[in-house]
Amino acid sequence: MRVLEIDHPLVAHKLTVLRDATTHSSVFRQLADELVTLLAYEATRNVAVAPVEITTPVTTMTGTKLTKPRPMVVPILRAGLGMLHGLTTLLPTAEVGFLGMVRNEETLEVTTYANRLPEDLTGRQCFVLDPMLATGHTLIASVNYLHERGAKDITCVTLLSAPEGLKTLEAAIGDDVDLTVVTAAIDEKLNEKGYIVPGLGDAGDRLFGVVD
């Protein structure tokens, strides 16, 4: 498993504002979108391409185009929806699937309650969007779900990651999956409730508001 922690002043600046408890949800959404676009630049560095012959106004040349099948972007509901536009800004031709997963706050176990994905993902590069890699259980379930459908090239894009979650994810994923995690920061630790410290709180609530 490869882990890319993006070291860039704009990433650090935007992440600092996201962490601030006084940041309003509208600003949080905007900055999360901008931050994901910066992360997506690195996340798509190894996207599959092929040569293509084109004619410019001056001459002919060999350029580059994305190959088929098209990449699959998979936001984890609901918080991952807040990251979708930021990645598809760079990959507008990608297809979008959805996974609905919920974590039991007492047991920290993950349950899948919805999916909108092709049955066959063989040969597809998949980009999983989830703001927080905390315990790692959600991304483990997500990666396994995609792998069962044939995906072997999977990149997880997160705003924050915990060392414990990264370790758990790496231990749980088989060697036949080419897995990359791209994150804006690896934080200090998890607390007793499974939240990232210093973190930024509940990303879903801060993106969309508290659901009663």
Side-chain angles (χ1 to χ4, degrees):
M1 184 178 85
R2 293 180 299 276
V3 179
L4 299 178
E5 183 181 12
I6 306 305
D7 181 16
H8 192 286
L10 285 179
V11 170
H13 164 71
K14 293 177 190 298
L15 185 56
T16 298
V17 180
L18 289 181
R19 291 184 190 275
D20 192 330
T22 65
T23 298
H24 191 272
S25 62
S26 60
V27 177
F28 192 97
R29 283 194 298 271
Q30 178 183 345
L31 288 177
D33 183 73
E34 295 172 1
L35 182 53
V36 172
T37 299
L38 293 174
L39 297 178
Y41 182 80
E42 291 298 330
T44 57
R45 180 172 293 278
N46 294 317
V47 69
V49 295
V52 59
E53 296 296 323
I54 65 168
T55 301
T56 77
V58 180
T59 187
T60 59
M61 64 164 286
T62 301
T64 300
K65 67 174 181 178
L66 296 180
T67 61
K68 292 183 179 180
R70 291 182 289 174
M72 174 68 65
V73 180
V74 185
I76 306 301
L77 304 177
R78 70 179 165 127
L81 286 176
M83 303 173 67
L84 179 58
H85 180 263
L87 197 140
T88 54
T89 295
L90 288 190
L91 272 182
T93 60
E95 294 184 352
V96 178
F98 298 94
L99 273 177
M101 293 188 169
V102 62
R103 186 180 75 167
N104 185 302
E105 296 302 327
E106 294 182 1
T107 67
L108 304 183
E109 293 301 316
V110 176
T111 302
T112 301
Y113 65 85
N115 92 82
R116 185 69 174 175
L117 291 168
E119 287 298 321
D120 186 4
L121 292 171
T122 303
R124 290 281 190 108
Q125 288 182 298
C126 294
F127 296 88
V128 180
L129 308 180
D130 196 6
M132 316 296 281
L133 197 175
T135 64
H137 295 161
T138 299
L139 284 181
I140 290 170
S142 303
V143 170
N144 285 337
Y145 209 91
L146 298 173
H147 184 234
E148 289 170 1
R149 284 156 177 74
K152 293 187 177 181
D153 186 344
I154 302 173
T155 298
C156 300
V157 182
T158 72
L159 301 182
L160 291 180
S161 297
E164 299 93 329
L166 288 168
K167 184 177 180 180
T168 300
L169 177 62
E170 184 172 22
I173 301 304
D175 294 337
D176 58 338
V177 178
D178 184 6
L179 181 63
T180 301
V181 176
V182 178
T183 188
I186 300 173
D187 271 11
E188 179 185 345
K189 63 180 181 179
L190 294 178
N191 65 16
E192 66 280 359
K193 295 183 178 180
Y195 282 90
I196 299 175
V197 178
L200 51 75
D202 187 300
D205 287 348
R206 298 199 66 190
L207 282 163
F208 304 117
V210 178
V211 178
D212 295 326

